[in-house]
Structure formats: structure tokens, C-alpha cells
Amino acid sequence: QVQLVESGGGLVQAGGSLRLSCAASGRTFSSYAMGWFRQAPGKEREFVAVIGRSGSILRYADSAKGRFTISRDNAKNTLYLQMNSLKPEDTAVYYCAATNRHYSGSSYDYEYDYWGQGTQVTVSS
């Protein structure tokens, strides 16, 4: 199995940027497609972005397109989410997740087997 630990969350003003990281340990990181999800208070967890095993396949939620960039460094066993032009509605706990069911990953959280503990992102207006 793989263990995931997110970091990089915090408080930022609207229009600002944050870079989230997700450090993986355990089995070979490159065997997993990786996703970012988020959950705001009182709302269901939602898909943000996914990256395939090699990093060549990327998909984003409409809310993230043009503002967020997902990337991975398989040599460092680390997943990233660069978030720019942040909005108050981006406030949520952000989770990274891993799946080996699909090479290119999935936008459905039930297809992920491993999850981090989450990191809080708060965007003030």
C-alpha cells in the first residue's frame, strides 16, 4: 500500500497562490495515478484534478481549469497542486489520493484506494 501526507495549506487572500504537496511512501509511486479532491464545510467531497501514472495525462474540474496545475515528480515520490488566482469558494480541506485501477486516474473518489489526511486551504475575501 501507499501512505500519503499533504502539506502546504494555509490562509491566503483572494487572488493569491498556494502550492500543495503530497508526499508518498510505500509501494512504487509511479504505479499510481494521483488525484486531488476537496471538501468544503457542509458539502460533499469533489474532484479537483487528476494526473496519470507517467504525468502525461491531466484532467481538471471546470472550477480548476486555468487556475490550478497538477504535477508529479516520480523521482521524489511527490504530487503537487499549484493553485493560483484563489477565490473564497476554493476554501476547503484538500486531499490527495492514489489509485492503481486506471492508468490515467479517475474523477470519482470511490475509485481511489489511498487517501491523505487532508490540508486546510482558507481563502479570505
Side-chain angles (χ1 to χ4, degrees):
Q1 62 181 28
V2 61
Q3 293 79 40
L4 304 172
V5 178
E6 302 97 335
S7 61
L11 174 63
V12 64
Q13 289 188 333
S17 299
L18 282 174
R19 189 194 197 199
L20 305 184
S21 298
C22 172
S25 61
R27 291 190 176 179
T28 307
F29 179 64
S30 59
S31 299
Y32 294 89
M34 300 295 296
W36 285 101
F37 292 79
R38 67 186 183 185
Q39 187 167 21
K43 294 187 177 181
E44 294 187 352
R45 186 163 56 191
E46 65 175 6
F47 166 73
V48 176
V50 61
I51 187 167
R53 295 176 186 176
S54 67
S56 61
I57 300 173
L58 313 174
R59 294 198 304 278
Y60 296 92
D62 287 344
S63 60
K65 287 179 182 176
R67 299 188 301 125
F68 294 3
T69 302
I70 188 171
S71 62
R72 66 189 297 164
D73 186 336
N74 285 346
K76 295 183 177 179
N77 287 359
T78 305
L79 173 74
Y80 303 100
L81 185 68
Q82 178 67 44
M83 303 187 296
N84 299 328
S85 302
L86 282 162
K87 306 174 182 179
E89 51 264 44
D90 294 318
T91 295
V93 177
Y94 283 71
Y95 299 91
C96 64
T99 180
N100 60 5
R101 304 186 195 189
H102 306 288
Y103 182 89
S104 59
S106 171
S107 59
Y108 299 104
D109 59 359
Y110 58 80
E111 294 195 329
Y112 288 80
D113 299 304
Y114 304 103
W115 292 82
Q117 83 290 348
T119 185
Q120 177 70 47
V121 171
T122 303
V123 184
S124 63
S125 56

